[in-house]
Amino acid sequence: MLHGYNPPQRFLPYLSWREIVELPDRANTVIVLPTGATEQHGPHLPCAVDTVIAAGVVGHALAALPASVPAYAMAPITYGKSEEHLNFPGTMTLSGETLLATMNEIGESVYRAGFRKLLIVNGHGGQPQVMEMAARELRLRHGDFIVVPSFTWRVPHVAGQYLSEREKKLAMHAGHAETALMLALAPDTVHMAHAVTNYPPEFPSRLLSPDGRPACAWSARDFGPSGIIGDPLPATAEQGQAILESLAQSWAQAITELHELHWAPRAEATWGRGQFSGHVEGRAPG
Ligand SMILES: [Zn+2]
């Protein structure tokens, strides 16, 4: 069935409209939307990596939640904005405009269903800007809608204890951390015999990139033929399991905090005498 890594009782599409209407506290029920991509991840990983990781982490987080916290996962978004991987077959991409419209329209549907807390757990590093734009647009249309556009790896996790300094600094795609997590989540799809090490050159400007990561727009083929940017070779399933558990615990905590969050919208802002104490350029203050 469709629920994937989620406990079936926490998978929103399994509810009928009637069951959704009868939920006791829709406004404080957290709806979690995993967003991934379908794009090349080197010769050793499947194109579904970002979707598997986002959906897998969300599913394990929901499984770790106490029953007292109401939260449901939506079906993941499996296509994203992946133009930087277009030169490799298997990459399926939406344009930024299409993805922005998709996020907006799904967000509107979540709001229309009576929910007021939407958490986006995005697993693809090429599209956080789109998630942030959609979240802001939804917020501007609905002052009582709390939309959190986040990244799967943003919460505390233990991956750092396994990664080399070079990997922490330069790996961007299909490297050690993603490979370890895939060995835990979907081992049958990982082919370590095809894994190779491939790092990008350090970006030569210290001002534009103090840590040396490529600071210009890039396409995966800029870094060679494998599609890997990092070193997947040291990854193991045991590391992946530990990383998965740490991510799931952190996301369960984040979902609990979002459920408990009461962030009252401010009254309609007014622009007028007495409301603004700053200095306006070109006008005498006071
Ligand atoms: Zn990825």
Side-chain angles (χ1 to χ4, degrees):
M1 286 286 275
L2 278 177
H3 60 275
Y5 298 94
N6 295 289
Q9 73 276 15
R10 287 197 182 272
F11 190 58
L12 189 68
Y14 284 175
L15 272 59
S16 70
W17 70 261
R18 227 193 118 111
E19 288 172 311
I20 292 175
V21 168
E22 287 169 358
L23 289 174
D25 186 12
R26 271 179 288 171
N28 291 300
T29 295
V30 180
I31 301 302
V32 188
L33 175 58
T35 64
T38 302
E39 64 179 34
Q40 75 84 18
H41 270 75
H44 69 301
L45 291 176
C47 292
V49 165
D50 292 342
T51 304
V52 170
I53 287 178
V57 166
V58 166
H60 283 77
L62 291 183
L65 271 184
S68 58
V69 178
Y72 294 87
M74 296 178 69
I77 293 188
T78 56
Y79 301 106
K81 181 181 177 300
S82 297
E83 290 126 323
E84 71 272 34
H85 299 289
L86 270 183
N87 297 104
F88 296 82
T91 298
M92 311 287 169
T93 190
L94 305 176
S95 67
E97 291 82 359
T98 302
L99 183 61
L100 180 61
T102 302
M103 297 306 296
N104 258 309
E105 290 168 26
I106 290 176
E108 284 294 335
S109 303
V110 169
Y111 187 88
R112 198 180 307 118
F115 300 109
R116 296 295 179 264
K117 293 179 176 178
L118 173 61
L119 173 62
I120 298 166
V121 178
N122 168 40
H124 172 36
Q127 62 195 19
Q129 303 86 347
V130 178
M131 303 299 151
E132 287 159 15
M133 288 166 71
R136 166 98 7 95
E137 290 179 12
L138 288 162
R139 174 70 182 186
L140 290 176
R141 283 198 296 278
H142 304 292
D144 59 345
F145 199 10
I146 296 173
V147 183
V148 181
S150 199
F151 189 54
T152 315
W153 298 89
R154 187 176 289 171
V155 296
H157 57 78
V158 300
Q161 71 190 57
Y162 306 115
L163 308 184
S164 70
E165 287 310 308
R166 192 177 185 204
E167 183 78 3
K168 283 183 198 165
K169 194 167 153 180
L170 289 176
M172 297 191 291
H173 193 71
H176 189 159
E178 277 191 322
T179 301
L181 206 38
M182 286 300 289
L183 283 168
L185 283 167
D188 294 349
T189 66
V190 182
H191 309 287
M192 288 304 287
H194 300 307
V196 295
T197 304
N198 180 55
Y199 282 110
E202 285 200 28
F203 199 69
S205 166
R206 287 286 148 246
L207 273 182
L208 293 173
S209 178
D211 61 359
R213 288 170 71 89
C216 52
W218 51 265
S219 166
R221 74 170 169 187
D222 294 335
F223 305 121
S226 71
I228 295 170
I229 313 169
D231 182 11
L233 293 177
T236 69
E238 291 70 29
Q239 297 166 0
Q241 196 58 42
I243 295 168
L244 176 61
E245 280 164 23
S246 65
L247 283 166
Q249 286 301 327
S250 291
W251 278 113
Q253 180 64 33
I255 291 166
T256 302
E257 290 176 9
L258 189 51
H259 163 61
E260 292 166 353
L261 177 72
H262 292 290
W263 195 34
R266 291 188 62 166
E268 195 65 31
T270 49
W271 181 266
R273 195 172 289 276
Q275 299 289 324
F276 177 70
S277 57
H279 169 64
V280 178
E281 203 65 44
R283 265 175 49 188

